[in-house]
Amino acid sequence: MPDLPAGPPTPPIPLAALLAREELGLRRIAGPADADLLWVHTSEMADPYPYLLGGELLLSAGVLLTDPDRYAARLVEAGAAALGFGVRPVHETVPRALVEACERHGLPLIEVPPGTPFTAIARAVWRLMSEARHRELRRVTRAQQALATAAARPDPVPAVLRQLAAQLEGRAALLTAEGEELHAAGSRPEPALREALRRLARVVAPGEPPSPAPPASAPPASVPLASAPPPSPTPPASAPPAPMSATDTFGEAQLSAYALGGGQGLVLALATRRRGTGDHTVAGIAAVLLSLLAAPHQGADAAGRSAALVRMLLGAAPQEVAPLLGGEGPWTVVHARRTDGAAAGPLTAGALGASLGSALVDAGRGGDPVRILLNGPAPLAPQPGWTLGASAPVPVGDLDAADTLAARALGHAEATRTPLEAGSPASGLAALIPPDHAAAHARALLAPLTAPLADTLRCWLSLHGNWDRTAVALSVHRNTVRQRIGRCAELLDMDLNDMDVRTELWFALRRT
């Protein structure tokens, strides 16, 4: 199944949108009118090329400008989107040679008037980028809701494709590994474009690798198969796995292909007029839904988990999907990280889940821990090569709180070099206080603290005020821990060296 994108990246800002801000007084005096800005950078170096990433609006007052032609050529070579040149106090006007060089090299040149600070331009660009990202997020959210609604229809696969084609204003097709169309929506493309989509689909479709070129001694292609010599007993080298997605262009059409999970070799193929920043996210959401909807012949357990995921995507409450996951609970959340510091791949994470008796495993990404959902009150045991943090068994409605508790337990286990740290429900005197009263007291007492400060204080108290272990658990420097704890003492107006104070704070932090 393809990875679901976390969200669309920030769209680029058209240069025209920045020029339209009348309060800045900017004026394009050379180069093309169309340019996309990704960020703003200020430099007075004679050659800023080594420090540019591409897509910048470079702002400069020309302090070291000696060779305008080379300067403009180097900016274009670095991929800069445009040059903003501030007049005064270095130059009374934009040098004519620079205007001609930018026109010659196709670099938009913007005149910045004396009354406009460079910081005002940067602030305007960031504001435009924020507005564009919010618009894109709203668009992606609306598309996700529309796709989820389509997935609930009696004919979910064609409905999702129709909705996807409408959202992306193009062609959406579900193809087999051989390129056969099972379902499609949107305007019917010309034969050449359909063939280009089939070729792109074969890039991501799982299957046999392309046959290698025959050796010089092999018979010609016209010789019947029966007369060919037997194949060599030496197995060919395994081909690298196919990518999960691929893109291409055909004329003005933007082509995309996404491999679907389920072992069927199905591919979602798209042909659109544009490829916006949020379109990959929308297509990824559709690919996830189609992977779940178009995968028949699953085992009972896998089918139940897929049904649970689809229902949660459509807004079902955890209590409604818990029976499909294999039990009524209670549920225990486990966070795990390898003791050698290496990243845990899907295979190693799956093996850990199997050792703990669960197939509900999230391998995580990057430095994220492996997360495992266990059904039932079965006792946990340390696992060789792993550090584990577990929540107390909870009803399915409390899984969010259990996930937080498991994360804290893992941090404590790593700081104390303990292979397994298990959270526990309230007991002893704490169990005698009604939970709602305890929570209200905790909120009032800890109200001055931000979430990072509260988390630091909780970890520091759990480790008996040890600065080094707290720094390890939070992955910060020990001086940062000291600063945060000092800030907690100031905001709470309490002496954190007093055991009575520590006890009351610990009680409150355990209820948040």
Side-chain angles (χ1 to χ4, degrees):
M1 184 183 297
D3 293 334
L4 182 62
T10 301
I13 302 304
L15 178 60
L18 181 63
L19 296 177
R21 305 295 291 257
E22 296 181 358
E23 71 276 12
L24 297 176
L26 304 179
R27 186 169 65 96
R28 183 179 62 87
I29 57 177
D34 295 331
D36 290 331
L37 312 180
L38 295 177
W39 34 63
V40 179
H41 181 63
T42 301
S43 175
E44 296 299 341
M45 300 184 66
D47 182 13
Y49 175 95
Y51 303 96
L52 300 182
L53 297 175
E56 295 92 349
L57 167 61
L58 180 66
L59 300 176
S60 174
V63 175
L64 299 179
L65 181 66
T66 57
D67 187 344
D69 188 78
R70 184 178 185 276
Y71 186 78
R74 291 286 283 172
L75 292 185
V76 171
E77 185 180 354
L83 171 62
F85 195 91
V87 296
R88 297 186 200 159
V90 181
H91 297 269
E92 290 298 319
T93 62
V94 181
R96 184 63 189 169
L98 181 61
V99 175
E100 295 173 352
C102 289
E103 188 70 40
R104 185 164 51 252
H105 292 286
L107 178 67
L109 176 60
I110 310 303
E111 181 186 68
V112 181
T116 301
F118 286 176
T119 53
I121 300 174
R123 186 167 57 244
V125 171
W126 303 140
R127 185 178 295 114
L128 288 169
M129 294 179 73
S130 177
E131 294 170 355
R133 178 161 176 78
H134 287 160
R135 287 194 300 271
E136 195 68 7
L137 285 172
R138 286 194 295 268
R139 182 178 79 88
V140 170
T141 300
R142 288 193 297 268
Q144 179 179 3
Q145 294 170 345
L147 291 169
T149 301
R153 294 177 58 86
D155 54 344
V157 173
V160 169
L161 290 174
R162 286 195 297 270
Q163 188 58 241
L164 181 61
Q167 293 291 334
L168 302 185
E169 301 178 359
R171 175 80 168 179
L174 184 64
L175 307 181
T176 66
E178 293 75 28
E180 176 188 359
E181 276 192 4
L182 299 180
H183 301 281
S187 57
R188 190 173 182 84
E190 57 181 287
L193 179 56
R194 294 178 64 188
E195 181 57 32
L197 272 178
R198 291 193 186 98
R199 288 196 302 269
L200 187 63
R202 286 194 286 271
V203 173
V204 301
E208 294 296 326
S211 301
S217 59
S222 59
V223 175
L225 182 61
S227 64
S232 170
T234 303
S238 58
M244 296 301 296
S245 63
T247 59
D248 199 359
T249 57
F250 184 85
E252 297 183 355
Q254 305 291 325
L255 310 184
S256 305
Y258 298 83
L260 304 186
Q264 308 298 311
L266 301 179
V267 176
L268 170 63
L270 303 172
T272 59
R273 290 194 297 270
R274 58 177 171 79
R275 186 179 292 145
T277 54
D279 292 342
H280 176 61
T281 304
V282 174
I285 294 168
V288 170
L289 289 172
L290 291 171
S291 295
L292 299 172
L293 296 170
H297 313 304
Q298 303 179 86
D301 292 342
R305 290 193 293 272
S306 295
L309 178 55
V310 170
R311 293 193 186 186
M312 292 195 76
L313 284 172
L314 300 180
Q319 292 86 342
E320 299 175 20
V321 302
L324 298 174
L325 296 176
E328 297 291 344
W331 298 87
T332 300
V333 179
V334 177
H335 283 213
R337 190 173 278 118
R338 290 178 54 169
T339 54
D340 59 4
L347 293 179
T348 54
L352 175 63
S355 299
L356 297 177
S358 176
L360 303 174
V361 180
D362 173 17
R365 294 183 181 181
D368 294 339
V370 175
R371 299 194 298 177
I372 303 171
L373 192 58
L374 305 180
N375 181 35
L380 284 171
Q383 301 295 314
W386 293 89
T387 301
L388 307 180
S391 72
V394 298
V396 69
D398 294 336
L399 285 178
D400 284 346
D403 186 59
T404 301
L405 183 59
R408 294 173 185 167
L410 176 60
H412 193 279
E414 291 180 314
T416 57
R417 295 180 174 85
T418 303
L420 171 62
E421 180 77 22
S424 59
S427 59
L429 293 175
L432 301 178
I433 303 176
D436 54 339
H437 292 179
H441 171 73
R443 286 194 297 269
L445 180 62
L446 302 173
L449 302 184
T450 62
L453 288 178
D455 288 340
T456 302
L457 181 59
R458 181 187 295 107
C459 185
W460 182 72
L461 290 174
S462 74
L463 296 170
H464 310 291
N466 188 294
W467 305 107
D468 292 326
R469 288 185 174 182
T470 304
V472 170
L474 298 175
S475 300
V476 298
H477 195 274
R478 67 194 307 271
N479 289 343
T480 302
V481 176
R482 288 184 177 274
Q483 293 168 1
R484 290 181 182 178
I485 296 302
R487 184 61 176 157
C488 289
E490 293 174 4
L491 293 173
L492 296 172
D493 193 21
M494 291 180 172
D495 181 7
L496 298 186
N497 292 319
D498 188 322
M499 182 54 67
D500 290 337
V501 171
R502 291 193 182 192
T503 301
E504 184 174 4
L505 288 174
W506 178 246
F507 176 87
L509 289 163
R510 294 268 290 175
R511 300 302 173 272
T512 58

